[in-house]
Amino acid sequence: MELLVRYLERSNSIGSEMTQDTVTEEKLRDDLMYYFMSPCEKYRARRHLPWKMGVQILKIIMITTQLVLFGLNNQLVVAYKEENSMAFKNLFLKDYSGVDEDDYSVAVYSQQGVYDSVFYVLDQYNQFSRLSTGPITYAEDEDGNLLPLAICKEYYKKGSVNPTGEAFDIDAQLEKVCMSHYPHNPLLHNSSFFDLDFYRLVNIKITFELKGINLQTVRTRELPDCYSFHVTITFDNQGHSGIVKIFLDIAAQSSACRDWKISGTVQKNTHYLLIFDGFVILVCLTSAVLCTRSIVLAVRLLQRFTRFLRETSDRSVCEEDQGEFLNGWYVLVIVSDLLAIIGSILKMEIQAKNLTTYDVCSIFLGTATLLVWVGVIRYLGYFQKYNLLILTMKAAFPKVLRFCCCAGMIYLGYTFCGWIVLGPYHEKFEGLSLVAECLFSLLNGDDMFTTFAQLKDKNTLVWLFSRAYLYSFISLFIYMVLSLFIALITDSYETIKNYQKNGFPLTDLQQFLREPKRFPVVDDDTRTDVQVTSSTLCCSCFYCQRQQTAAEFPPRCGLAPSYRGLRPMKLVVAAMQTHPVMG
């Protein structure tokens, strides 16, 4: 109240002679003060409802609900595909154990084993309609005829191999020969097609198509999808190493069933979901429009403030003050709105059975939900104790980014070195991505003993190099790089703690806003300046309890002499010393 009394005394003592420049300056100061208030302060100052905050809260609830509903449905779709893949492997692969061997399903080591596996696939395909326990059967063409199974073999055009005499003659050009086999037709085991020259054979591929219906979605009150399964079984002999690897790959494509009839409320609930998704799109559009409007207003205020500084002190606005106007939170919200709108449109198309891009839709909705929840931190930032995380991240980010660029060069060097040297002897170093993942795990203290123990010690030189490689990486990155990384963040944390205790240095913008008013300005809504300032002072007193005057701290952006040594006006903008500027 004492601060309010002093302000009223100053306002009452102002003379009646005012210039147009003074009116413009005070109007600019009032507009800037109002823009940088929190939603609570804006409501208390002018009784303007916080529409953006209300829309953001509603959007968080709706997008999270939408994500959960889509996630449950997507899990059913993925589970259906994986379970059918497992069923096909057990039905068509001879001696399949239920677990893939390395990156392939089954391996055979003899010529007879290859013949037995190929004929086993053909025989199981003939009996598939009697073997399968699910609603899956043979695919048909548009005329209702069953589609055949295709079996193709690739081999070198010609060649001869004599390991004893260490001689060979190979034509590297490949030839491909195919044959078809219709369901229920007898197998031709004695066909010349199956006379295989294994030293010329590169691979054998068996492809066929099956049709199925995913009935489990009925439980979630959604229409079942019809699926086309394109099955490819590959006998890989490219290595010619005495092992033929067998792969089974499935490409599942869903579509709307052409003729269906179902009782219950499935279709009705689908319509409700489409209406809900449409409402989500409407809320996201509203949020994007409000945030875009705030950005446009901020740009206009920045232009006015830039013009004012140029006219009064012949200087431009420093980069730090420009960053106060260009609010990154608004950009984050707009990006999340766009992602949510695209994801919602894809979800509606999937529910209408026009698209089957579940994975793409999941990426859009998941990223949108992530950004929406990250945006909640913006409102927590209005409170001093919760704002510490945001300020620490903002202060440490440039230093951490530069540090990561330097450490990344060392990390990439270890990645390439580990791949070329240890790749042939260690499964965790077989590819560049695997090496990067393995080193990142070691950096965090995971799987250290396993990484050491799994290295094959058949080559003594490589074994010795691996020990030097792993010990040097672990010592360098855990004891030095990681410790320095944490020290950078800790240093920023301590700096912010000191600023919160003693006060933040003031910029041109903050110093300008803290200047005393020269006369009361009447607002557009007929409330006097005294009324607005009184409400603002009551709302901002929490932030002003621990602030010191601007004269105690040096300016951050080179204030003009006319702005120095002025007694600050402790309005809501004094909260800028303790939390970021947000509209």
Side-chain angles (χ1 to χ4, degrees):
M1 287 298 296
E2 181 181 357
L3 182 61
L4 176 60
V5 171
R6 290 201 306 267
Y7 174 72
L8 294 177
E9 290 176 353
R10 288 198 306 270
S11 299
N12 294 332
S13 62
I14 297 176
S16 59
E17 296 183 0
M18 306 172 188
T19 64
Q20 184 63 32
D21 293 340
T22 305
V23 174
T24 303
E25 177 182 344
E26 295 301 330
K27 184 61 178 175
L28 173 61
R29 182 178 288 108
D30 283 349
D31 291 342
L32 290 173
M33 286 180 180
Y34 183 75
Y35 177 79
F36 291 124
M37 290 181 185
S38 68
C40 167
E41 294 162 346
K42 289 180 179 179
Y43 176 75
R44 294 187 182 183
R46 298 184 182 179
R47 298 298 174 184
H48 287 181
L49 294 177
W51 294 108
K52 287 198 296 292
M53 185 176 68
V55 170
Q56 296 307 314
I57 295 175
L58 178 61
K59 186 177 70 173
I60 289 174
I61 297 174
M62 297 188 66
I63 289 183
T64 304
T65 303
Q66 181 189 49
L67 181 74
V68 171
L69 295 176
F70 180 77
L72 294 175
N73 183 42
N74 191 30
Q75 287 180 357
L76 293 178
V77 173
V78 174
Y80 178 74
K81 294 179 181 179
E82 291 180 350
E83 290 172 1
N84 276 280
S85 176
M86 180 62 65
F88 293 158
K89 289 179 180 180
N90 280 278
L91 286 175
F92 294 110
L93 301 183
K94 191 175 185 300
D95 299 329
Y96 181 67
S97 62
V99 180
D100 289 351
E101 302 178 12
D102 202 5
D103 59 337
Y104 50 89
S105 300
V106 182
V108 292
Y109 304 91
S110 64
Q111 296 184 12
Q112 188 60 42
V114 174
Y115 286 118
D116 291 344
S117 298
V118 171
F119 292 133
Y120 183 82
V121 173
L122 300 178
D123 183 61
Q124 293 293 96
Y125 180 74
N126 275 351
Q127 308 177 59
F128 182 78
S129 58
R130 300 193 304 271
L131 295 176
S132 177
T133 60
I136 303 176
T137 186
Y138 304 108
E140 298 179 350
D141 58 17
E142 297 179 354
D143 298 329
N145 300 320
L146 295 179
L147 294 177
L149 172 149
I151 177 171
C152 300
K153 61 179 181 179
E154 284 187 335
Y155 54 89
Y156 295 122
K157 188 173 183 179
K158 65 178 182 178
S160 60
V161 177
N162 183 12
T164 303
E166 299 181 353
F168 64 91
D169 180 13
I170 292 292
D171 186 347
Q173 185 178 357
L174 297 179
E175 285 188 347
K176 186 176 182 179
V177 180
C178 299
M179 66 170 291
S180 300
H181 174 74
Y182 287 88
H184 312 303
N185 285 0
L187 298 176
L188 302 177
H189 292 263
N190 297 326
S191 173
S192 60
F193 178 85
F194 297 105
D195 293 337
L196 304 177
D197 294 329
F198 283 92
Y199 68 90
R200 295 170 53 202
L201 180 66
V202 176
N203 63 61
I204 300 174
K205 287 188 177 181
I206 302 176
T207 58
F208 53 90
E209 184 178 350
L210 301 173
K211 292 282 188 176
I213 301 177
N214 183 12
L215 296 178
Q216 64 177 335
T217 56
V218 175
R219 293 178 296 160
T220 60
R221 300 182 180 274
E222 289 194 17
L223 290 177
D225 291 327
C226 289
Y227 280 82
S228 296
F229 295 99
H230 299 271
V231 183
T232 302
I233 301 175
T234 304
F235 294 77
D236 186 4
N237 191 41
Q238 297 184 57
H240 291 88
S241 59
I243 174 175
V244 177
K245 303 175 183 178
I246 304 177
F247 301 85
L248 189 146
D249 300 312
I250 297 177
Q253 183 178 6
S254 62
S255 60
C257 298
R258 289 177 294 182
D259 186 15
W260 57 270
K261 181 179 180 181
I262 187 171
S263 59
T265 59
V266 175
Q267 186 69 13
K268 187 176 180 179
N269 289 342
T270 302
H271 290 163
Y272 289 153
L273 291 175
L274 292 176
I275 294 174
F276 178 76
D277 293 334
F279 192 55
V280 171
I281 294 176
L282 180 61
V283 172
C284 291
L285 284 174
T286 304
S287 172
V289 170
L290 291 176
C291 291
T292 303
R293 173 181 170 274
S294 297
I295 292 177
V296 173
L297 176 61
V299 172
R300 291 177 178 175
L301 287 175
L302 176 59
Q303 293 174 349
R304 291 172 58 188
F305 185 63
T306 303
R307 192 182 313 115
F308 170 78
L309 278 186
R310 187 181 300 113
E311 293 174 353
T312 57
S313 59
D314 195 22
R315 292 184 301 105
S316 59
V317 182
C318 65
E319 294 183 0
E320 188 166 358
D321 280 342
Q322 292 179 6
E324 300 287 359
F325 288 94
L326 304 178
N327 197 327
W329 291 109
Y330 289 144
V331 178
L332 179 72
V333 172
I334 293 175
V335 172
S336 67
D337 290 334
L338 294 178
L339 294 176
I341 291 172
I342 297 175
S344 299
I345 294 174
L346 292 176
K347 182 175 179 290
M348 295 173 69
E349 291 294 322
I350 291 173
Q351 290 177 341
K353 310 305 178 185
N354 296 326
L355 292 176
T356 60
T357 54
Y358 282 90
D359 294 335
V360 177
C361 182
S362 298
I363 292 174
F364 278 104
L365 290 181
T367 307
T369 306
L370 169 64
L371 297 181
V372 166
W373 279 99
V374 170
V376 177
I377 303 178
R378 172 192 175 213
Y379 296 101
L380 295 178
Y382 292 124
F383 303 95
Q384 179 179 0
K385 294 183 179 179
Y386 293 96
N387 191 41
L388 187 59
L389 173 63
I390 303 175
L391 292 178
T392 303
M393 292 176 60
K394 182 179 179 180
F397 182 76
K399 294 184 290 185
V400 169
L401 186 61
R402 291 189 293 266
F403 180 79
C404 288
C405 290
C406 298
M409 301 299 103
I410 306 176
Y411 191 87
L412 287 176
Y414 270 93
T415 300
F416 286 107
C417 179
W419 171 65
I420 192 64
V421 178
L422 305 181
Y425 303 95
H426 201 298
E427 61 180 7
K428 293 184 178 181
F429 291 82
E430 292 179 350
L432 286 175
S433 61
L434 290 176
V435 178
E437 295 167 2
C438 177
L439 294 181
F440 190 77
S441 297
L442 293 175
L443 175 61
N444 291 276
D446 296 335
D447 292 334
M448 284 193 180
F449 178 77
T450 304
T451 304
F452 278 94
Q454 287 183 349
L455 184 68
K456 304 172 185 177
D457 56 356
K458 295 182 179 180
N459 191 316
T460 304
L461 181 61
V462 174
W463 184 89
L464 292 174
F465 178 86
S466 68
R467 265 44 191 172
Y469 172 86
L470 294 175
Y471 280 123
S472 63
F473 176 82
I474 293 173
S475 301
L476 176 63
F477 274 84
I478 292 184
Y479 301 132
M480 183 178 296
V481 175
L482 190 58
S483 298
L484 290 174
F485 182 85
I486 297 174
L488 290 175
I489 301 176
T490 304
D491 179 67
S492 299
Y493 173 81
E494 293 297 333
T495 301
I496 298 300
K497 289 286 289 184
N498 292 333
Y499 279 154
Q500 286 189 334
K501 181 179 180 181
N502 302 319
F504 285 78
L506 297 181
T507 64
D508 289 353
L509 173 64
Q510 294 165 346
Q511 184 74 11
F512 172 73
L513 293 175
R514 292 170 65 94
E515 287 186 9
K517 278 192 174 184
R518 304 181 186 178
F519 71 97
V521 180
V522 180
D523 201 2
D524 296 336
D525 58 359
T526 70
R527 299 181 64 203
T528 64
D529 181 72
V530 173
Q531 293 172 321
V532 174
T533 307
S534 176
S535 300
T536 304
L537 285 170
C538 294
C539 183
S540 61
C541 62
F542 167 76
Y543 295 106
C544 301
Q545 292 175 356
R546 301 180 61 184
Q547 302 303 312
Q548 301 181 15
T549 62
E552 298 178 12
F553 303 101
R556 287 185 287 179
C557 295
L559 296 172
S562 59
Y563 294 146
R564 295 176 184 170
L566 295 177
R567 184 173 181 179
M569 175 182 176
K570 293 186 177 180
L571 289 170
V572 65
V573 291
M576 283 188 239
Q577 293 180 324
T578 54
H579 65 85
V581 176
M582 298 181 219

